[in-house]
Amino acid sequence: MNVVLGVGGGIAAYKSAELARALMERGMRVQVVMTQAAREFITPLTFASLTGRKVITGLFSSAGPEETLSSAIEHIAVAQDNEILVIAPATADLLARLAHGLADDFLTTLYLAFTGRVVLAPAMNNNMWMHPATQDNLAVLRKRGHVIVEPDEGLLACGANGPGRLAEPDKIAGVIVDLGAASSFHARDLEGETVLITAGPTQEPLDPVRFISNRSSGKMGYALADAAAERGAQVILVSGPVQLSEPQGARVVHVRTAHEMHDAVMAHLSEAGIIVKAAAVADYHLAQVPRNKIKKTAMRMSMDLDPTPDILAELGQKKGDRLLIGFAAETENLIESARQKLRSKNCDMVVANLVNQEATGFESDENEVVLVLSTGETIPLSRAPKREIADRIFDQVLKLRLALHAAQ
Ligand code: CTP
């Protein structure tokens, strides 16, 4: 999810740095915009270092006319590129300017051009907070549907005691995560991409009525297909047998066995620029499946199973400059095993999850994963609906591509 963090000029501006970090940790892309007054309290360099992005500080460039033009339309581009605008700290002055639609700097101009959700986290002296002018402005902003994260009570920077302290960064980040999950708006930042996704389990027949399979529900892969299609990608979803309805806008290829999945993936490889292997492919199969049902006897029985083709490993060999994202379902040593898989299968990212936890395992609607990247980074994504996790994975995939291109 893409978020603009607007920083107003108040003593609480230093806490916005913590907020920027909290948002990044939750897998969001953060574009910071600072008001002139904010720069009196904290430097743009702090935010640029935390977010890895240039901080926007002014509406008008002091340079030549072309630059003035490009910065004059930048607020429109930023407005279109982001789903949530959070302003923290929102000072009394900023609240007043937003309520009245004044547009005399980048942040207030962006606000008018912005069509996504707005979150305001005010911070100020307690008397300023309780003043009818501020409360009237808040009422106007609430009526517009903006989310106000109320300030905490306590000792204020000015020495007074009362409501006015900026809410804790983790709390503000939580509000943004919830809003993002509920929001149906997503940037179309995968337009022009073809994403090949595998999902669900495979079934390896033992005879005409029995098979070996696993507990994968396909929900994570389908959520990824949903997210990619909504963000404008062409989606090819190679799906094992699942009980889910087809994601809108995706081309679905139904397969049953690991071999069928292998063949379908390889047949579509040339079209794809991003490959996400969320399927839980069976590792073994019975090479000679009997034509008739195996009869029960009183004897112990055993079967010789052969390994299935390792689709991910083969993709790792053939991927060229495609981005390859694998999944690692583990019950122990999560990060280490994921790193090992990343290296051995030549992936760009491995999405690692502990599958022996009920709330975030195979059949669950939620997930909690760690992204292990080829850059050496590990990014934990805290527990969230699988659809939200899917978006955060694609946010990081796009970021990773930029980082890999920059390194070339
Ligand atoms: N995978 C694959 N082909 C297989 C087995 C797995 O493409 N025959 C892919 C899965 O889609 C997933 C990744 O490999 O992206 C990891 O699957 P997992 O079962 O966690 O790992 P394995 O490689 O099977 O290793 P192990 O079971 O020993 O952990």
Side-chain angles (χ1 to χ4, degrees):
M1 191 164 60
N2 299 345
V3 176
V4 184
L5 169 58
V7 184
I11 188 72
Y14 75 94
K15 278 197 188 172
S16 312
E18 276 177 56
L19 176 57
R21 190 203 300 269
L23 294 173
M24 299 282 295
E25 279 171 3
R26 287 162 173 82
M28 296 180 206
R29 193 192 78 179
V30 181
Q31 171 64 63
V32 174
V33 175
M34 298 177 78
T35 65
Q36 190 65 37
R39 296 172 64 184
E40 302 292 330
F41 293 91
I42 186 164
T43 68
L45 186 60
T46 304
F47 289 108
S49 313
L50 284 171
T51 62
R53 300 177 72 81
K54 199 180 115 226
V55 171
I56 300 173
T57 51
L59 185 55
F60 300 110
S61 162
S62 54
E66 299 84 15
E67 278 203 43
T68 306
L69 177 66
S70 70
S71 61
I73 54 174
E74 196 177 6
H75 63 281
I76 308 290
V78 175
Q80 285 169 350
D81 236 27
N82 290 277
E83 293 119 277
I84 292 182
L85 166 63
V86 52
I87 303 184
T91 59
D93 175 63
L94 256 177
L95 293 177
R97 281 152 68 207
L98 299 178
H100 292 275
L102 301 185
D104 54 358
D105 65 3
F106 193 96
L107 186 55
T108 49
T109 312
L110 167 68
Y111 168 76
L112 288 187
F114 193 73
T115 54
R117 298 299 305 272
V118 176
V119 178
L120 302 168
M124 64 196 73
N125 160 273
N126 57 329
N127 290 331
M128 292 170 76
W129 170 250
M130 287 181 299
H131 196 284
T134 303
Q135 291 300 320
D136 286 352
N137 289 333
L138 282 165
V140 168
L141 294 165
R142 275 199 190 93
K143 222 170 112 191
R144 268 178 217 160
H146 303 338
V147 177
I148 313 291
V149 187
E150 300 266 336
D152 290 338
E153 286 204 28
L155 188 62
L156 306 177
C158 55
N161 222 318
R165 268 162 59 155
L166 184 69
E168 285 308 315
D170 268 341
K171 181 176 170 189
I172 304 172
V175 169
I176 292 165
V177 166
D178 291 347
L179 262 187
S183 150
S184 60
F185 175 84
H186 286 283
R188 291 182 67 81
D189 50 6
L190 287 172
E191 204 122 34
E193 296 281 355
T194 299
V195 183
L196 174 60
I197 298 169
T198 68
T202 64
Q203 290 178 355
E204 310 303 327
L206 297 177
D207 71 10
V209 297
R210 304 184 179 92
F211 56 80
I212 308 174
S213 192
N214 58 65
R215 289 174 53 196
S216 168
S217 63
K219 285 178 182 168
M220 192 62 237
Y222 274 56
L224 284 156
D226 241 350
E230 212 173 296
R231 290 164 75 149
Q234 299 284 332
V235 178
I236 305 164
L237 175 62
V238 178
S239 172
V242 296
Q243 305 291 322
L244 299 170
S245 44
E246 295 193 355
Q248 261 198 350
R251 263 191 287 159
V252 187
V253 183
H254 292 283
V255 296
R256 186 171 172 220
T257 64
H259 279 87
E260 287 171 18
M261 183 169 280
H262 168 273
D263 293 351
V265 167
M266 296 309 158
H268 289 94
L269 177 60
S270 63
E271 297 167 61
I274 299 173
I275 308 156
V276 190
K277 283 239 60 218
V281 187
D283 289 327
Y284 294 94
H285 77 127
L286 189 63
Q288 293 298 327
V289 180
R291 205 131 27 114
N292 296 314
K293 189 179 158 202
I294 301 169
K295 286 288 181 195
K296 175 177 65 186
T297 68
M299 307 293 284
R300 162 178 287 172
M301 91 174 260
S302 61
M303 282 180 169
D304 276 334
L305 300 177
D306 287 328
T308 54
D310 190 326
I311 309 169
L312 188 61
E314 189 175 330
L315 289 169
Q317 299 303 314
K318 295 183 171 166
K319 75 184 180 95
D321 58 3
R322 297 174 184 86
L323 278 179
L324 181 60
I325 296 96
F327 272 64
E330 306 291 348
T331 51
E332 57 188 351
N333 299 333
L334 184 66
I335 311 265
E336 213 16 73
S337 311
R339 280 224 174 92
Q340 163 68 21
K341 250 167 226 173
L342 181 101
R343 279 193 297 268
S344 65
K345 304 199 183 184
N346 196 25
C347 294
D348 299 286
M349 179 192 289
V350 166
V351 181
N353 70 332
L354 281 175
V355 284
N356 50 352
Q357 286 172 336
E358 233 171 66
T360 55
F362 274 142
E363 290 110 349
S364 160
D365 288 325
E366 293 196 318
N367 214 349
E368 180 176 352
V369 300
V370 180
L371 307 183
V372 177
L373 310 189
S374 55
T375 52
E377 270 178 289
T378 53
I379 300 171
L381 300 182
S382 53
R383 185 171 157 183
K386 284 184 170 165
R387 182 62 178 72
E388 174 65 18
I389 295 282
D391 265 312
R392 292 196 238 151
I393 291 172
F394 281 119
D395 290 342
Q396 293 303 328
V397 167
L398 289 173
K399 238 172 99 178
L400 179 63
R401 170 137 74 197
L402 285 180
L404 294 177
H405 276 181
Q408 269 172 10

